[in-house]
Amino acid sequence: MENEYNIEDPHYLLDSNIVSEIIKPLPDFNVIKKLVEHSSDCAICSPSWQELLFGMYRMPEGMNKKSLEKFLIDDIMENFKVLTYTKRSAEIHAEIRAKTEKIGKPAPFADSLIASIALANHMVLVTRNTKHFEAIREVSELQVDNWFTQKSHNKTI
């Protein structure tokens, strides 16, 4: 079944700003520490994968672009499962967008798309941009962590 949860499935859904931190010359220590600690328990989603590729394709040809492409293919694709937008994600996405509009805080399409994939897969969304997901958290059970500050934005259940 599409919406069944498997205990072995990844627990953390990484936003593109977490993944891009890995390749920076001076990456944030907390982010790298958490990635090492939870590496086998992380995944990315297809919208984040698109954002990473889009950034790479926009770069001028040269060594930096080749290094980034190698990193994305060799490191990211080899180490992280890429979760797709499913029928269940679409249902959650539509509900999130309608509910955030009703409370007068419409969620951006891309952020609600990513959140819906996290929710459909029972995952914690890891992002630096926690404010982008505040309205979504008001209308759903979305759990958000910011590994830059080690601050968790989870609802108590």
Side-chain angles (χ1 to χ4, degrees):
M1 258 179 105
E2 183 178 20
N3 60 353
E4 274 187 22
Y5 177 68
N6 182 341
I7 195 77
E8 294 180 14
D9 287 340
H11 185 70
Y12 297 102
L13 185 66
L14 307 178
D15 200 357
S16 55
N17 56 51
I18 299 297
V19 176
S20 63
E21 192 65 22
I22 301 168
I23 201 167
K24 288 185 177 177
L26 294 170
D28 183 89
F29 175 78
N30 287 331
V31 172
I32 300 304
K33 180 179 171 221
K34 292 292 262 185
L35 280 167
V36 168
E37 187 179 320
H38 298 291
S39 63
S40 64
D41 202 19
C42 296
I44 62 173
C45 62
S46 51
S48 293
W49 178 241
Q50 179 275 326
E51 288 176 351
L52 293 164
L53 290 174
F54 179 63
M56 179 195 68
Y57 289 136
R58 290 177 52 195
M59 294 175 76
E61 294 301 323
M63 289 307 295
N64 287 341
K65 184 174 184 175
K66 286 182 180 166
S67 293
L68 181 57
E69 183 175 24
K70 183 172 175 21
F71 164 73
L72 292 175
I73 302 300
D74 293 349
D75 295 326
I76 300 307
M77 288 307 296
E78 289 296 317
N79 293 303
F80 299 112
K81 184 177 184 179
V82 179
L83 303 177
T84 60
Y85 188 68
T86 63
K87 178 180 172 282
R88 180 70 184 129
S89 303
E91 293 163 355
I92 293 169
H93 189 202
E95 185 178 1
I96 286 170
R97 293 188 67 216
K99 285 182 174 180
T100 57
E101 278 186 12
K102 282 181 185 173
I103 64 169
K105 300 176 184 178
F109 186 86
D111 293 336
S112 56
L113 179 73
I114 292 167
S116 72
I117 295 170
L119 286 161
N121 290 282
H122 310 280
M123 299 175 81
V124 175
L125 176 61
V126 181
T127 184
R128 184 176 210 164
N129 302 326
T130 57
K131 288 186 184 201
H132 293 189
F133 297 93
E134 285 178 357
I136 297 167
R137 288 182 49 249
E138 286 182 38
V139 301
S140 73
E141 293 298 317
L142 180 66
Q143 296 180 45
V144 178
D145 274 352
N146 180 352
W147 287 356
F148 283 87
T149 63
Q150 298 284 280
K151 187 176 181 183
S152 177
H153 295 85
N154 296 329
K155 289 184 177 182
T156 50
I157 298 173

